Amino acid sequence: MAEENSTETSIICYAPSMITTNGVWQGDNPLDFSLPLFVFQLTLVVVVTRFFVFVLKPFRQPRVISEILGGIVLGPSVLGRYDKFANTIFPQRSVMVLETMANVGLLYFLFLVGVEMDIMVVRKTGKRALTIALGGMVLPFVIGAAFSFSMQRSEDHLGQGTYILFLGVALSVTAFPVLARILAELKLINTEIGRISMSAALVNDMFAWILLALAIALAESEKSSFASLWVMISSAAFIAICVFVVRPGISWIIRKTPEGENFSEFYICLILTGVIICGFITDSIGTHSVFGAFVFGLVIPNGPLGLTLIEKLEDFVSGLLLPLFFAISGLKTNVAAIQGPATWVTLFLVIFLACTGKVIGTVVVAFFHGMPVREGITLGLLLNTKGLVEMIVLNVGKDQKVLDDETFATMVLIALVMTGVITPIVTVLYKPVKRSVSYKRRTIQQTKPDSELRVLVCVHTPRNVPTIINLLEASHPTKRSPICIYVLHLVELTGRASAMLIVHNTHKSGKPALNRTQAQSDHIINAFENYEQHAAFVAVQPLTAISPYSTMHEDVCSLAEDKRVSFIIIPFHKQQTVDGGMEATNPAYRLVNQNLLGNSPCSVGILVDRGLNGTTRLTSNTISLQVAVLFFGGPDDREALAYAWRMAEHPGISLTVLRFIPDEDVTDAASTRATNETNRNMNVDMKKQRQLDDEYVNTFRAANAEYETIVYIDKVVSNGEETVAAVRSMDSSHDLFIVGRGEGMLSPLTAGLTDWSECPELGAIGDLLASSDFAATVSVLVVQQYVGPWAQDDEMDLPDSPVHSHDQPNAIYGLEDPS
C-alpha cells in the first residue's frame, strides 16, 4: 500500500470533496480544502494591507507600499519563517490557486488602466514631456545594465541581454497610477510640474510596456533563435487586429446603444470575456497575458462605455483582487535570501545610483527646457515612483528564472524604498512658489463701490446653476462695479487617480463629452457662458476642481486666495423635494461647507436653493425680487447687509431690512450676568460690536432714506420665541432671505434656537429658515464674514468710502484655466 501511495496516481488531482468542506461538525478542518483556504487567505491579505494603509496614511504613502509590505509580513521574511504558520495558512498546494486569482485580478486591472488611459494624450504631450521621459529612463537603464553583470549568477541559463532588459526596465520605469495618486496627495496635480510629470510618466509607461514585451519574448525563446522574431511579429499582428477589427466593432456597439441608455448586459459580458480571450492569445504567442488585456483596454473608445466598465469593475478589482497580486509579490520576497554585507552594499548602491541617475537625467533635460534646477530635481524624484509595472517585470522575471530569490528580494526592496521616500522628500524640497497675497478686500463690506467684485461660485451639479445665476444677476454688475465670476465645478476624485487625466482634458466645443462628469461640466460652463453673453459687465472664468471631498476645501481656498476674490458662494448640502421638504443630496457636501467656513480666506455664503421668483429673467430690466435681511448684529450680519445693499441698487430689487433689537430688560439682565473676567471681556466685545452695528446701520439708513424700494424696520423682541414669530410673519412675501451666520455672537434673541439646530454651520437663524417646515418657497443665503488682520484694520470701511482702487478690472479676464 505504501508503494502504491508513492506512485503518481495518488496525487494526480484533488477529489471534488477537497474543494469545499463538509463543515467542522463533520470533523473537517476548513483549511484543508481549497475554497475556504483561499477565502481565508484573501481575507487575511485584505486585513493586513488595510492595516498598513491606516498606519502609513499620515506619512502620505501610496497604497502599493502597504500592499507589498502586507505580503512581506505574511511571507517568508516575517510570519512565514514559522513553519506552522506557513504550512497552515500558505501551504505549497494553495499557491497555484492564489497566483491564478491574483493574475486574473491583474488582467482586469491592466484592462482598466488601458480603458482610462487616453492614448491621444501621448501625442499631445509635446517635446518637453517626451524628452524628459526619455532622459529619465536612459541613465537608470544604463545603471541597471552595468549592475546586471555583478548581480547575475553564473548558473543562470539565460543570456546577458535578457537579464539587462529585465533589470534595466525595473529600474527605469515610472508607475503612472501611483504617481498620479502621490501628486493628488501633495496637491500638485494641477501645477505645471504635476502636468509635466504626469505626461512624462505616461510616455515612460508606454516605453516600459514595449521593453517588457521584448524582455518576455527573449526570456521565453531559448529554444530557437527565430522564436523572438515570431513573438514580435505575432504581437504586432495582435495589436493590428485590435485596432482595425476590435475597435470598429466596439464603436458599432456604442453607436447601436441610444445616448443616455445603459449598455446591454450581453455587450458588457462580451467585452469582459474579451479581456480573458486577449490575455489567452498574448500568453499563447509568447508575451505576458496582461499585455493583451492592456491593449484591449486601450482600443475601447473614451466615453460612456469606458465609464460603465470602470464603474462595474473598479472597486472589486482594485479593492480585492489587486492587493492579492502585490501580496503575492511580498510572499515571494524572502529578505533572508539577501546574504552577506556585499549584497546589502550592492542593494543600497543600486537604490542610490538608480534614483540619482533618473534625477540627473531629468535635471539635464529640464535645464535645456529652461526649468529651474529645484523643479528638475523634484521632477526626477517624482519619476522615481515605482509600482505595478515594476512588480509585473519582477514577477515575470522570477517566473522565467531570470531573477533568483536574492535578486528578486533585492529589487522588491529597491521599489519599496524608492517609492516610499519620494513623498516626504518632495514635501520638504518642493514648495510651490506662492505669491505674497496682501490684498485687503476679502469681504464685500471692504470692497469699494466702484471697483470690481470678484466672486467664486462653487457648483456640484447643474441643478445649482439657475438660482446662482439669478443671485449673481441680482448682485447688480455695472460699468462702475463689474463682477468677475470664477465658476468652480467641484468633482469628487474617485477610484484610481489616473482617471483624472481624462477628466482634466480641455473640452473643445463641438466634441461630445467623454463621460458624465464632463457632460455636467459642459452643461454648467455653457449656462454661465450664455449668462455672460446676455448680461453686461460680467466676466466668467470656468474651472474644475477634482479632489477627495475631505480636502476639496483646500482647492477652493487656494483658488480664492490666488484670484483675490471677496466672496465665495457654495450650495447647501440639502435640496428641495417636490412636496416642499428638504433632503440631503450628498452628506459629503456638508463636510466641504464646514471645512470651507473654517478655512476660507474671504467671506463665504451658503446658498439654500429653493429657486428664486419664477418671473426672474436673465436680463436686468425684467428681474424682480423681494429680498429681506434679518439683522441681529455682529460681523456676519454686517456682511449680509453689505451684500444686500449692493443688490438694492438694482432697479428690480426691493429690500426689506428687519433689525432685531433686544428689549431693555433683556439687555440689563445680560449685563448683570457679566460677573467674572471672561464674561466682562465678552461683554466689552459685544458693546464694541453693537457700536459698529449702529454706525453701519445708521450709514445705510442715511444713504437710502429716499428710496421707496428700501424699507428699514426696527423690531423689539425679548426672546427666541418672539424672534421666530416675527420671522414667520414675513416668510411668504419674499423671494430671498440674506442672514448672517452669527458665528461667535451670543444674542439673547436667539437663545434656545441653537439647541434645536440641525445644521449649526448655518447659524441659529439660517438653520431656522432652511428647515423643512419653514419658508418652503424662499431661498436663503447665509453669510459669514472673513475676520482677519485686514478685516480688523479696516472694520470701519464702508461701501461709500472714498475710491482707492488697486485693481485692473480687465486684467483678470485673460487668465488661463489652471485645470
Side-chain angles (χ1 to χ4, degrees), residues 16-32:
S17 60
M18 293 299 288
I19 305 298
T20 55
T21 177
N22 292 318
V24 291
W25 307 117
Q26 299 286 345
D28 287 346
N29 179 1
L31 298 183
D32 290 339

mmCIF file of all heavy atoms in Angstrom, residues 16-32:
data_model
loop_
_atom_site.group_PDB
_atom_site.id
_atom_site.type_symbol
_atom_site.label_atom_id
_atom_site.label_comp_id
_atom_site.label_asym_id
_atom_site.label_seq_id
_atom_site.Cartn_x
_atom_site.Cartn_y
_atom_site.Cartn_z
ATOM 1 N N PRO A 16 -13.264 15.936 -5.753
ATOM 2 C CA PRO A 16 -14.207 17.059 -5.657
ATOM 3 C C PRO A 16 -14.454 17.508 -4.220
ATOM 4 O O PRO A 16 -14.667 18.679 -3.950
ATOM 5 C CB PRO A 16 -15.490 16.504 -6.288
ATOM 6 C CG PRO A 16 -15.019 15.434 -7.208
ATOM 7 C CD PRO A 16 -13.799 14.847 -6.578
ATOM 8 N N SER A 17 -14.394 16.578 -3.300
ATOM 9 C CA SER A 17 -14.651 16.918 -1.902
ATOM 10 C C SER A 17 -13.540 17.782 -1.309
ATOM 11 O O SER A 17 -13.702 18.335 -0.225
ATOM 12 C CB SER A 17 -14.807 15.638 -1.069
ATOM 13 O OG SER A 17 -13.619 14.870 -1.134
ATOM 14 N N MET A 18 -12.400 17.886 -2.002
ATOM 15 C CA MET A 18 -11.297 18.690 -1.496
ATOM 16 C C MET A 18 -11.436 20.172 -1.850
ATOM 17 O O MET A 18 -10.615 20.980 -1.470
ATOM 18 C CB MET A 18 -9.956 18.167 -2.039
ATOM 19 C CG MET A 18 -9.570 16.801 -1.527
ATOM 20 S SD MET A 18 -9.371 16.783 0.260
ATOM 21 C CE MET A 18 -7.844 17.689 0.438
ATOM 22 N N ILE A 19 -12.469 20.530 -2.599
ATOM 23 C CA ILE A 19 -12.697 21.941 -2.949
ATOM 24 C C ILE A 19 -13.461 22.636 -1.828
ATOM 25 O O ILE A 19 -13.051 23.670 -1.323
ATOM 26 C CB ILE A 19 -13.465 22.071 -4.278
ATOM 27 C CG1 ILE A 19 -12.753 21.314 -5.395
ATOM 28 C CG2 ILE A 19 -13.661 23.553 -4.639
ATOM 29 C CD1 ILE A 19 -11.369 21.833 -5.703
ATOM 30 N N THR A 20 -14.592 22.066 -1.434
ATOM 31 C CA THR A 20 -15.388 22.648 -0.346
ATOM 32 C C THR A 20 -15.491 21.658 0.795
ATOM 33 O O THR A 20 -15.508 20.445 0.590
ATOM 34 C CB THR A 20 -16.809 23.011 -0.830
ATOM 35 O OG1 THR A 20 -17.412 21.849 -1.403
ATOM 36 C CG2 THR A 20 -16.766 24.113 -1.866
ATOM 37 N N THR A 21 -15.604 22.192 2.004
ATOM 38 C CA THR A 21 -15.624 21.356 3.202
ATOM 39 C C THR A 21 -17.043 20.939 3.589
ATOM 40 O O THR A 21 -18.012 21.604 3.225
ATOM 41 C CB THR A 21 -14.984 22.117 4.385
ATOM 42 O OG1 THR A 21 -15.065 21.333 5.543
ATOM 43 C CG2 THR A 21 -15.699 23.447 4.628
ATOM 44 N N ASN A 22 -17.139 19.825 4.307
ATOM 45 C CA ASN A 22 -18.431 19.386 4.836
ATOM 46 C C ASN A 22 -18.768 20.082 6.143
ATOM 47 O O ASN A 22 -19.861 19.931 6.673
ATOM 48 C CB ASN A 22 -18.418 17.864 5.072
ATOM 49 C CG ASN A 22 -18.339 17.101 3.765
ATOM 50 O OD1 ASN A 22 -19.004 17.454 2.793
ATOM 51 N ND2 ASN A 22 -17.506 16.058 3.725
ATOM 52 N N GLY A 23 -17.803 20.833 6.700
ATOM 53 C CA GLY A 23 -18.047 21.588 7.921
ATOM 54 C C GLY A 23 -17.311 21.016 9.106
ATOM 55 O O GLY A 23 -16.948 19.834 9.142
ATOM 56 N N VAL A 24 -17.080 21.877 10.085
ATOM 57 C CA VAL A 24 -16.315 21.468 11.268
ATOM 58 C C VAL A 24 -17.071 20.422 12.082
ATOM 59 O O VAL A 24 -16.467 19.615 12.796
ATOM 60 C CB VAL A 24 -15.998 22.691 12.160
ATOM 61 C CG1 VAL A 24 -15.014 23.611 11.488
ATOM 62 C CG2 VAL A 24 -17.275 23.454 12.531
ATOM 63 N N TRP A 25 -18.423 20.413 11.983
ATOM 64 C CA TRP A 25 -19.193 19.442 12.767
ATOM 65 C C TRP A 25 -19.028 18.027 12.220
ATOM 66 O O TRP A 25 -19.343 17.061 12.924
ATOM 67 C CB TRP A 25 -20.675 19.834 12.776
ATOM 68 C CG TRP A 25 -20.893 21.251 13.217
ATOM 69 C CD1 TRP A 25 -21.429 22.259 12.494
ATOM 70 C CD2 TRP A 25 -20.525 21.814 14.481
ATOM 71 N NE1 TRP A 25 -21.436 23.412 13.210
ATOM 72 C CE2 TRP A 25 -20.889 23.181 14.457
ATOM 73 C CE3 TRP A 25 -19.932 21.304 15.651
ATOM 74 C CZ2 TRP A 25 -20.684 24.030 15.524
ATOM 75 C CZ3 TRP A 25 -19.725 22.161 16.719
ATOM 76 C CH2 TRP A 25 -20.091 23.496 16.658
ATOM 77 N N GLN A 26 -18.557 17.931 10.966
ATOM 78 C CA GLN A 26 -18.273 16.613 10.394
ATOM 79 C C GLN A 26 -16.826 16.209 10.661
ATOM 80 O O GLN A 26 -16.367 15.187 10.146
ATOM 81 C CB GLN A 26 -18.512 16.653 8.870
ATOM 82 C CG GLN A 26 -19.942 16.981 8.463
ATOM 83 C CD GLN A 26 -20.887 15.815 8.696
ATOM 84 O OE1 GLN A 26 -20.439 14.690 8.889
ATOM 85 N NE2 GLN A 26 -22.194 16.101 8.700
ATOM 86 N N GLY A 27 -16.113 17.047 11.401
ATOM 87 C CA GLY A 27 -14.724 16.735 11.734
ATOM 88 C C GLY A 27 -13.712 17.238 10.729
ATOM 89 O O GLY A 27 -12.525 16.902 10.814
ATOM 90 N N ASP A 28 -14.163 18.082 9.751
ATOM 91 C CA ASP A 28 -13.244 18.603 8.733
ATOM 92 C C ASP A 28 -12.548 19.868 9.226
ATOM 93 O O ASP A 28 -13.141 20.686 9.940
ATOM 94 C CB ASP A 28 -14.001 18.936 7.441
ATOM 95 C CG ASP A 28 -14.421 17.684 6.691
ATOM 96 O OD1 ASP A 28 -13.906 16.601 7.028
ATOM 97 O OD2 ASP A 28 -15.261 17.806 5.783
ATOM 98 N N ASN A 29 -11.297 20.042 8.818
ATOM 99 C CA ASN A 29 -10.578 21.297 9.029
ATOM 100 C C ASN A 29 -10.744 22.136 7.762
ATOM 101 O O ASN A 29 -10.252 21.741 6.698
ATOM 102 C CB ASN A 29 -9.103 21.020 9.299
ATOM 103 C CG ASN A 29 -8.317 22.320 9.501
ATOM 104 O OD1 ASN A 29 -8.866 23.413 9.454
ATOM 105 N ND2 ASN A 29 -7.016 22.174 9.731
ATOM 106 N N PRO A 30 -11.442 23.279 7.833
ATOM 107 C CA PRO A 30 -11.705 24.065 6.607
ATOM 108 C C PRO A 30 -10.434 24.420 5.842
ATOM 109 O O PRO A 30 -10.460 24.524 4.612
ATOM 110 C CB PRO A 30 -12.393 25.328 7.143
ATOM 111 C CG PRO A 30 -12.988 24.918 8.441
ATOM 112 C CD PRO A 30 -12.056 23.890 9.013
ATOM 113 N N LEU A 31 -9.295 24.598 6.556
ATOM 114 C CA LEU A 31 -8.065 25.000 5.886
ATOM 115 C C LEU A 31 -7.418 23.868 5.098
ATOM 116 O O LEU A 31 -6.423 24.079 4.409
ATOM 117 C CB LEU A 31 -7.070 25.559 6.912
ATOM 118 C CG LEU A 31 -7.538 26.819 7.663
ATOM 119 C CD1 LEU A 31 -6.447 27.324 8.582
ATOM 120 C CD2 LEU A 31 -7.962 27.916 6.691
ATOM 121 N N ASP A 32 -8.008 22.646 5.165
ATOM 122 C CA ASP A 32 -7.522 21.542 4.330
ATOM 123 C C ASP A 32 -8.173 21.556 2.952
ATOM 124 O O ASP A 32 -7.828 20.737 2.099
ATOM 125 C CB ASP A 32 -7.803 20.189 5.014
ATOM 126 C CG ASP A 32 -6.917 19.987 6.243
ATOM 127 O OD1 ASP A 32 -5.874 20.658 6.316
ATOM 128 O OD2 ASP A 32 -7.285 19.181 7.116
#
